[in-house]
Amino acid sequence: MASTLKIALFFSIFCIFRLSPITSSKPHPLDSLTASELLLVRAVVNQSYPSSNHKLTFQYVGLDEPEKQLVKSWLSKPTTKPPPRQALVVIRLNEQTHEIIVDLSKRSVISDKIYNGFGYPLLTIEEQEAAADLALKHEPFLASLSKRGLNISEVICSTQTIGWYGEEKTKRELKVVCYYLDGTVNMYLRPIEGITMAVDLEEMKISQYIDRAVASMPKAEGTEYRASKLTPPLGPRFNGAPPTPPGQTGFKIDGNIVSWANWKFHLGFDARVGPVISLASIYDAEKRTYRQVLYRSFISELFVPYQDPTEEWYHVTFFDCGEFGFGISAVPLEPLNDCPANAVFVDGYYAGQDGNPVKVSDVMCIFERHSGDVMWRHTEAELRDQEIREVRPEVSLVVRMVATVGNYDYILDWEFKPSGSIKFGVGLTGVLEVKAVPYKHTDQIKEEVYGTLVADNTIGVHHDHFLTYHLDLDIDGDANSLVKTNLVTKRVTDKSIPRKSYWTVEHETAKTEADARIKLGLKPAELVVVNPNKRTKPGNKVGYRLIPGSAAGPLLAADDYPQIRAAFTNHNVWVTPYNKSEKWAGGRYVDQSRGDDTLAVWSNRNRGIENKDIVLWYTMGFHHVPCQEDFPMMPTLSGGFELRPTNFFEYSPVLKTKPPQHLSWPNCTA
C-alpha cells in the first residue's frame, strides 16, 4: 500500500484540498509489499534464472505473512526485531509453476518448489490482452467477420477462462470472445455469437477455431451510458453533497494503521483479494484498553456460474479472485461519485507480468459516513410533565474498493461502527453478460433461452454471485469457539396460563469442523463466536454474532464440474482451525482446478475447533434473474452481513456517545 495518502475535499464551488505526504511509522509485519520491495523481489528472482532462454513470468507476488504468533509476539513488544519480511512469488518458467519464497532482508530465494498438482496460477493482464489480440490477426476470424458484414476496426476481443469438465489432461488455455462497437462503447451488449475460439497461453497461438453459425447482432441504439452522450428525456438531477470543512476527516492514519473513534485496524492491499483488514480492535472505555476482534479478513473467492449449458456458453463459470485477481482488477476511484467529499484516497501496487510494480492510483478510499440514520434514540413519552428525548446520529467509518472484472463492477465496503459492529457490504453493478438471439418479443420464444429478453435480440443470462469471506476472528484473544444458539418452540405446561407456546434458546458448541458446516435458513438460530475463557460480570461468555444477509446457496448439481470446483459454497458457514496456508477458499491454483484443494476439502479433515484459534468463513450469495431495468447499465444491487458484539461489553458502548455539535461552515475561498 502506498505510503503517500491524498485527501480531496470538495465543497461549495469544488474547492480541492490535498494533504501533504504523511510520514509513515516504522514498517509493520503485515504491511503490503511496497513498490521498492516488488522491484527487489523481481531482481532476486531474475538473478536466480539469469539465462535469456528462460521464459519467466510473474503470476502473483504478495506478502508471505508471518505466522500469527510471531506477529502477536512482536505487537506485545514492538521495540523488538520484527518477524522476517518475506514474499510469496508464483512464476511460470518453461511451462512449469514455481512457488518461491524470497527473504527481503537477505535478498535471496529461501525456497523454490515446482508445483505439479492440478490447476494453474492467477492470470496476468498482459497474457489476457495478448491472447485477445491474436484474434484480430487470425485469418479465419477475419473471414468470419467479413461473412457477417462486420468491420474489423469496430471489433474488441476479451478472454474467458475455460474451466474443467473432467479432462484427464489440460493445458493453459483461454477462450476468446469478441464484441462489436459500431455506435457504442458498451461492448458487452453486442457479442459476436456463433464463434468458438481458444488460445494456448504457452505457445500464444490460436489452438481452436470454430465458426458455427451467424447469429443476430443486438443493436447499439439504447446502450449509451456516458453522461455527456445521453439525450432527452433525462432522469432526475441531484443536489451535490453538503460541504465538508477542510481537514476534518475524523480519523488518523499512521503508516497503514487507521484509527477512528473507538476502532483501530491495519489496512493492506493484495493482487488476488484486494483490501485486507487486519488487527481490528475496539477500545473498551470501561476496561480502558483496546480489545481484539478481527485478526485478518478479506474476500477469499467470488464464484460466478452462468446458467446457459449450450456449446458456446457452458464454460462461462468464473472464479474472479483466483483466476483474475480482485486487486489486479481494481480501478481508480472517482472523488465525489465513488467516495464522498471527506474521503482519503490510498494507492496500491501489484507486480506486473515482468515483475515490475504496477501502481493503481486511488485504489481504496476511507471516509466517515454520515448516513442520516439513527445510532440510538429514545423519548420518555409517558413522563407527561417532562420532555425527555435523546438522539444520536449514526456515524461510521468505511473502507471501499471497486474491482471491475470484465462486465461487472463490485463495490466492496468494510464499515466500522462505534457500537462495535463491522458491516461487510458488496454492491453489484456494471453491464449484464448477454447472449444474442433472433427474438424481439417474448411471444416469439419457443425454446429454453436461459435468461430474460431485456432488449431486441438480447438475452440477459441467468447467473449467480457467491462471495466467500475469510474472517479470522480473535474475540478478546485467539482461543474461540462457535456456539449455535438455536431458537426452539416450547409448549406452556402450566394449564392456568392461557398462552400455549413460547420460544427459548438452546446452546450448542461446535466441537469439530463437521459441526460448523451450516446452511442458513433451514432452522432459526444465531451463530456466535465466543471466547469461552472470558466472561462478563453477569457471567456471559464474550462474543461476536454473525448477522447474515439473505440466505442463498448453490443450485447446481453437486456432481456438476463447476460445483465440484466451488464446493466451498455448499454451506454458507464453515469454521476451520487457523492455518496460515488455508486462506484461498478455491485453492491456490484455481484456473482449471479440480476441487481437490478447497475449503470443503480442508474441512473434511474434521479437526477440532472448540476453544481453538479458529477462522470463520461466510458465503454471501445472489441468484440473479436479469430484468429490463438492468439494461443497459445495471443499478447497484446491494447485499451484506454484519459482525455484532454479543455480551462483549458490560453495557452499550455508545451509551455515552456525545451528540455532535452542528456548526455552520464559512464559505470556501480560493
Side-chain angles (χ1 to χ4, degrees), residues 24 90 129 174 187 189 217 302 332 356 380 396 467 523 540 545 572 607 616:
S24 174
V90 178
E129 291 177 345
L174 287 174
M187 55 178 265
L189 297 182
M217 173 65 66
L302 169 55
N356 282 313
E380 291 293 351
S396 58
L467 295 97
K523 62 179 183 179
N540 295 306
R545 179 169 79 232
N572 302 102
R607 295 161 290 186
L616 176 72

Side-chain angles (χ1 to χ4, degrees), residues 620-645:
M620 174 171 54
F622 300 83
H623 299 302
H624 191 178
V625 179
C627 61
Q628 286 182 247
E629 288 79 4
D630 295 335
F631 181 93
M633 189 60 56
M634 177 180 160
T636 300
L637 174 64
S638 298
F641 66 99
E642 182 176 346
L643 294 173
R644 187 181 180 94

Side-chain angles (χ1 to χ4, degrees), residues 247-295:
Q248 290 196 9
T249 61
F251 55 92
K252 296 179 180 179
I253 303 177
D254 180 11
N256 296 316
I257 300 292
V258 180
S259 301
W260 172 81
N262 48 356
W263 279 104
K264 67 177 180 180
F265 57 87
H266 181 278
L267 177 60
F269 176 78
D270 179 72
R272 179 161 175 162
V273 303
V276 181
I277 303 290
S278 304
L279 303 174
S281 300
I282 189 165
Y283 187 77
D284 187 328
E286 184 79 8
K287 297 181 182 296
R288 299 184 179 183
T289 187
Y290 278 95
R291 299 171 65 191
Q292 302 172 61
V293 176
L294 188 65
Y295 178 74

Side-chain angles (χ1 to χ4, degrees), residues 230-244:
L230 297 176
T231 58
L234 300 176
R237 180 179 290 274
F238 304 106
N239 294 326
T244 300

Side-chain angles (χ1 to χ4, degrees), residues 388-407:
I388 298 177
R389 178 177 61 251
E390 290 288 329
V391 185
R392 301 293 184 272
E394 182 74 276
V395 182
S396 58
L397 187 75
V398 177
V399 177
R400 174 171 294 167
M401 190 195 85
V402 173
T404 300
V405 190
N407 55 304

